[in-house]
Amino acid sequence: MYPKDPYSYPYSHPRPHRRTARTAAALLTAVVTLVAGCGGGGPSTGAAPPKAGCPTTLASARAAVARAENSDTAWHGPTTGPAAVPGKSIVYVAQTMTNPGVAGVAKGLEEAAKAIGWQVRVIDGDGTPAGIQAALSQAITVRPSGIVIGGFDPQLTSQQMARAEAAHIPVIGWHAVGSPGPSERPKLFTNVTTKVEDVARISADWIIARSAGDAGVVLFTDDSIPFAKNKAELIRAGLAACSGVRILSYENIPIPDAASRTPQAVSSLLSRFQDDWTYSAAINDLYFADAAPALRAAGKPGSGPPFNIGAGDGDPSAFQRINSRQFQAATVPEPLNQQGWQIVDEFNRAFAGRPPSGYVAPVHVATAGNSDGATSWDPSGYREGYRRIWAG
């Protein structure tokens, strides 16, 4: 259901003369039509006029979403670099392979390693501090050429990170710290990720644009992961730029517990907020997989409301929900497979004594209208680009 017309108002007593009312109604219709026509429109925004409280923010959000929904993008990554360094081995330490983003990057890493002629081993940390510490200890013990921190905070493993540095094993992060690029503390050759600020901003923009600046939002996050907590806070700040958007609840549910806790949380939220809950944002798409049964049981339509956007990572199940309009309307997908290839390329630069590439993938918003039935965001050109570099 679209938001109520923000330009409607209750009549005061006494009631106006019918002719006056008709004239006022006609003028009101003309004003609404004029404002809507000047709004510029854009993907996923519907026909609702801008809410009076944030017309400037709404116009900016609509423009940003239109750019991010464009799927006709070329490869703008690195075109030069060292030829393939032979005979290397990589260990990918996963926060948990139940996290679809972590698993998606592992798949891309394995594909790229095969293309360059390296060996890859994946060790699952099972989503617990003890498990992650044990996994990284095991990775160091096998003395690989390089180690990937797959989706967890290296501060959890400070002792193991010190051991890796002492052993001169280069470490590359994926979503390990808050920003892309090299890190001194913790010591990372580079961290591969989109810019969390961009992901959070476009997620908030999508809600503002899609709702025409009038939404009641539930935000799902995992505050145990600093990267995720920061993303959620940035989304909240972005939504606060529009006075008509209200944060109804901030749901802190650890990703490893999402399957067990999210359905109960959703049932409670529906009971508390009912039809006021019109939009959701989550730091990871998997929350909506776990929310779907509770929404379905409550009789909510798969096409919304609530209209749900995942601020990462764009796994296949998220695309399936979006394409079938089943309890998820959009995602801001990481190019997971591409990032697996980028990690291999960054290691190759490290092994060759070269600096990291500095490449950061731009944000993209995937919806049923622009995904063409795909089950991932897999931009074109990167495989060929990296193969050309490695061929020398």
Side-chain angles (χ1 to χ4, degrees):
M1 179 181 295
Y2 287 103
K4 292 181 179 179
D5 181 357
Y7 291 87
S8 64
Y9 55 92
Y11 288 118
S12 59
H13 189 78
R15 298 168 70 94
H17 189 277
R18 287 185 178 180
R19 180 176 299 171
T20 302
R22 286 196 299 269
T23 301
L27 288 171
L28 179 61
T29 300
V31 169
V32 169
T33 302
L34 178 61
V35 173
C38 293
S44 303
T45 60
K51 190 171 179 67
C54 66
T56 302
T57 300
L58 176 56
S60 175
R62 283 175 165 168
V65 170
R67 290 191 299 270
E69 288 187 350
N70 180 18
S71 297
D72 186 18
T73 57
W75 170 240
H76 296 295
T79 57
T80 62
V85 178
K88 299 299 181 177
S89 62
I90 306 298
V91 173
Y92 182 85
V93 180
Q95 181 243 358
T96 170
M97 289 295 282
T98 63
N99 181 327
V102 172
V105 172
K107 179 176 177 292
L109 181 72
E110 291 170 336
E111 181 184 286
K114 184 178 180 180
I116 203 172
W118 296 350
Q119 299 297 314
V120 170
R121 178 177 178 182
V122 176
I123 304 178
D124 194 340
D126 295 324
T128 67
I132 291 167
Q133 290 165 4
L136 186 50
S137 292
Q138 184 181 352
I140 296 166
T141 299
V142 302
R143 304 286 298 184
S145 307
I147 294 173
V148 183
I149 300 298
F152 61 87
D153 179 9
Q155 302 297 340
L156 292 172
T157 56
S158 57
Q159 292 182 356
Q160 289 81 6
M161 290 291 291
R163 285 177 53 202
E165 185 174 358
H168 305 289
I169 302 173
V171 179
I172 288 179
W174 179 81
H175 284 206
V177 294
S179 302
S183 169
E184 284 299 320
R185 291 289 179 269
K187 184 69 173 179
L188 300 173
F189 178 73
T190 194
N191 182 53
V192 175
T193 179
T194 50
K195 290 183 178 178
V196 66
E197 297 86 356
D198 294 344
V199 173
R201 186 181 302 112
I202 201 63
S203 301
D205 282 345
W206 184 87
I207 290 175
I208 293 168
R210 176 67 174 73
S211 70
D214 185 10
V217 184
V218 172
L219 184 54
F220 295 93
T221 186
D222 180 354
D223 281 354
S224 71
I225 305 172
F227 184 91
K229 181 179 181 181
N230 182 41
K231 185 191 292 185
E233 292 293 345
L234 290 168
I235 293 171
R236 179 153 58 181
L239 294 171
C242 185
S243 60
V245 175
R246 305 160 306 282
I247 300 291
L248 303 178
S249 184
Y250 183 98
E251 295 293 313
N252 176 25
I253 301 175
I255 285 174
D257 300 336
S260 60
R261 289 180 52 183
T262 303
Q264 182 178 355
V266 168
S267 296
S268 175
L269 290 163
L270 288 169
S271 176
R272 288 165 58 197
F273 300 114
Q274 302 182 34
D275 291 343
D276 288 338
W277 179 12
T278 55
Y279 285 80
S280 310
I283 56 93
N284 191 295
D285 295 300
L286 62 82
Y287 289 100
F288 299 129
D290 300 320
L295 292 169
R296 188 177 292 111
K300 291 292 183 179
S303 57
F307 302 100
N308 302 320
I309 182 169
D313 294 307
D315 65 278
S317 67
F319 275 83
Q320 289 164 5
R321 288 189 297 276
I322 291 166
N323 292 333
S324 60
R325 292 176 170 83
Q326 289 297 304
F327 306 105
Q328 187 167 351
T331 185
V332 185
E334 297 278 340
L336 300 172
N337 207 76
Q338 174 190 300
Q339 288 174 333
W341 280 69
Q342 182 182 347
I343 289 170
V344 168
D345 183 66
E346 302 292 3
F347 270 126
N348 195 55
R349 293 168 191 269
F351 300 149
R354 302 278 287 276
S357 71
Y359 176 67
V360 179
V363 293
H364 175 68
V365 174
T367 67
N370 70 359
S371 67
D372 295 325
T375 57
S376 66
W377 170 231
D378 196 27
S380 62
Y382 67 89
R383 292 179 178 87
E384 296 80 4
Y386 283 128
R387 282 194 176 104
R388 280 193 294 268
I389 293 172
W390 301 339

